[in-house]
Amino acid sequence: MRRPIGRREGFSLVEALVALAIAALAFTAIFALQDQMTVGQMRLQRTLDTAAVQRNGLELLADINPMEEPSGQRNMTGGRVISWTAEPVTETRRNAGFPSGEGVFDVALYEVDAVITTAGGRELGRLQFRRLGWRRAFGDFTL
């Protein structure tokens, strides 16, 4: 069979340029999405790192008695430091004795504010929680 004169097979230059422009727009959108995903992943990793540091700091402060040690600091791994201050939220009172009467401890509820910093002083996270403080009021108590 013969082809009509003036007709050629394939794409014209205009068709190829339009296809190239469409592909370029699609790739631009894909690269923008990939960039946003990378930024989001980095932000998530920073958040997870901060949460881990805060959990470690909270664990280090699990044993403090804010009535005996209302402020202080402890060293953490990686050169980090956790510092805290504690302020009483309630008045000091005597604990209840068992089975009745007064106990041998003075107790109060404290608000503890803690800051975790790097060795260079950059703040990594803050914690705020309430903790019971106690001290022996009298007597000799041995377990």
Side-chain angles (χ1 to χ4, degrees):
M1 266 200 131
R2 294 183 87 181
R3 281 184 276 157
I5 296 179
R7 224 166 134 99
R8 296 187 178 149
E9 290 183 22
F11 296 108
S12 70
L13 181 59
V14 172
E15 290 171 330
L17 289 175
V18 168
L20 187 61
I22 292 172
L25 287 174
F27 282 127
T28 301
I30 289 171
F31 289 141
L33 178 64
Q34 184 179 10
D35 184 50
Q36 285 298 314
M37 289 175 64
T38 302
V39 169
Q41 180 66 31
M42 290 184 333
R43 193 170 40 207
L44 174 65
Q45 190 60 49
R46 278 194 309 269
T47 301
L48 290 174
D49 291 345
T50 300
V53 166
Q54 288 175 332
R55 272 194 314 273
N56 291 341
L58 192 57
E59 190 63 33
L60 275 174
L61 296 182
D63 295 333
I64 69 163
N65 178 356
M67 190 176 280
E68 296 290 328
E69 200 175 4
S71 64
Q73 69 179 32
R74 294 202 176 146
N75 294 325
M76 299 176 67
T77 59
R80 299 179 187 108
V81 176
I82 184 164
S83 306
W84 74 89
T85 58
E87 295 292 328
V89 177
T90 63
E91 292 188 24
T92 302
R93 60 181 79 164
R94 186 69 39 89
N95 73 317
F98 180 79
S100 65
E102 287 188 339
V104 296
F105 291 96
D106 289 332
V107 296
L109 188 62
Y110 284 79
E111 183 84 24
V112 180
D113 294 311
V115 179
I116 302 168
T117 56
T118 62
R122 185 174 64 89
E123 185 177 308
L124 295 176
R126 290 187 167 271
L127 299 168
Q128 188 175 42
F129 56 93
R130 290 190 172 185
R131 173 75 33 94
L132 183 69
W134 68 95
R135 79 171 148 245
R136 185 147 192 74
F138 61 88
D140 185 24
F141 182 74
T142 308
L143 288 178

